[in-house]
Amino acid sequence: MMDIVERFLKYTQFDTQSAEDSDSVPSTPKQLVFAEYLKKELEAEGLSDVEMDDHGYIYATLKANVKGHIPTIGFISHYDTSPDCSGAGIQAHIVRQYDGSDILLSEGIISSPSKFPELLQHVGEDLIVTDGHTLLGADDKAGIAEIVQAMCWLRDHPEIPHGIIRVAFNPDEEIGMGAQHFDVERFGCEWAYTMDGGDVGELEFENFNAASARVYIKGVSVHPGYAKGKMINASALAAEFATMLPADETPETTEGYQGFYHLLGIESNIEQAKMHYIIRDHDRSDFEERKRFISHCADEMNAKYGEGTVTVELKDQYYNMKEKIDPQMYVIDLVLHAMQECGVAPKVKPIRGGTDGAQLSFRGLPCPNIFAGGVNFHGPYEFVSIQSMQKAMQVIVKICELTASYND
């Protein structure tokens, strides 16, 4: 059987970067190249019901090896990598028994614990790093490698009892579209887990409620020499609008459960301006109040400069999965038990973001998020510990085993 390191390193050779400005599914055709490879690999490893739909979503089954009513559970990972950093020509290498010192990625490029103290949590372990010119792709190819390796382990160890296990791999998570075309009914699970968390032990079942806000401002252009009482400068109004939102409620000033308004960009001239915000909050009522407040700011501007000067388009993106997980906490208890059995200290924390699992939870598939082991995602200093990947694989196996004895 291919080991987990060989499997992961093979995956990193595929450039699967997704693209925000694309209307196709998946957003980049190169994702399908890896999807085809992964489908063939699952077939070669002996999984059943391996299928890939027209959008590149892959589904497969590991058949049960015991009889009786056992819940069908699933494991999910995405295969696209972030648009924030190149995923082409990844040159990964292994730092054996990391000693806590600076790591030379390539000439002039150093990963140092003085800048990335997370490295010190992995002294004595074997780290897979980049050459400093691309991301690594542990987000989320580490998750895929762990799931596939766990299925192969269960296949080769029939003494470990388990029910039907479903796996799924999807494109476009990094651009917020991973769950959009996920076929929950076809997947056919009572609950599932995304293997898309960070460092070892992380377990997440709370995330932001999320919305986007697009603000449109209409100005009036007049020759500046004769503009008194006539000109409405849309660029100036955009700046004024930005100051109406709390300066201490932005990503750079908040942490933990604190929500924020985040200005992603402004396009403006005298006649018109466009502003793009995202709104985030863990608390649903506070989230709704944030949306009301940004609309209120537009109303205030219109009262000052004339009706229709400022319009706001709000669109909900996803919600806090805690709302759906809380009534079914056994899906969390199983993970905590599995981690304990595998010698992993749980790190339960809220996600200051979202996952495919958040959207899937609101579509009837409870789906918390488990660590995959990667650190410093979306950039050239990304790394993953081999030992963390192995622990993640062991946790998957143990969850499958514990589910075989689950009684609802």
Side-chain angles (χ1 to χ4, degrees), residues 106-179:
S106 59
E107 185 175 355
I109 304 176
I110 295 173
S111 182
S112 172
S114 64
K115 186 173 182 180
F116 303 107
E118 302 87 353
L119 284 164
L120 298 178
Q121 302 299 314
H122 299 279
V123 171
E125 298 177 9
D126 304 313
L127 309 184
I128 305 177
V129 300
T130 74
D131 66 353
H133 295 287
T134 68
L135 48 66
L136 177 63
D139 179 16
D140 192 23
K141 289 170 183 168
I144 299 175
E146 292 151 8
I147 292 171
V148 176
Q149 200 72 15
M151 296 304 104
C152 293
W153 183 268
L154 290 168
R155 176 202 65 197
D156 294 341
H157 291 80
E159 73 276 9
I160 301 174
H162 63 83
I164 297 171
I165 311 298
R166 292 279 280 161
V167 302
F169 306 114
N170 59 268
D172 290 341
E173 187 272 350
E174 296 292 359
I175 59 171
M177 300 298 290

Side-chain angles (χ1 to χ4, degrees), residues 203 329 331-341 344 346 348:
L203 171 60
M329 282 298 290
V331 305
I332 300 300
D333 294 339
L334 276 168
V335 182
L336 294 174
H337 189 180
M339 286 186 179
Q340 181 183 23
E341 291 285 316
V344 174
V348 180

Side-chain angles (χ1 to χ4, degrees), residues 18-59:
S18 49
E20 297 254 13
D21 55 356
S22 172
D23 293 326
S24 63
V25 182
S27 61
T28 53
K30 57 189 175 183
Q31 292 184 69
L32 291 176
V33 177
F34 177 62
E36 289 284 0
Y37 169 84
L38 189 55
K39 177 177 179 288
K40 291 177 182 177
E41 180 181 68
L42 295 174
E43 291 169 340
E45 295 291 8
L47 273 73
S48 304
D49 310 318
V50 181
E51 53 185 338
M52 185 175 78
D53 67 18
D54 293 340
H55 298 309
Y57 287 68
I58 302 169
Y59 307 91

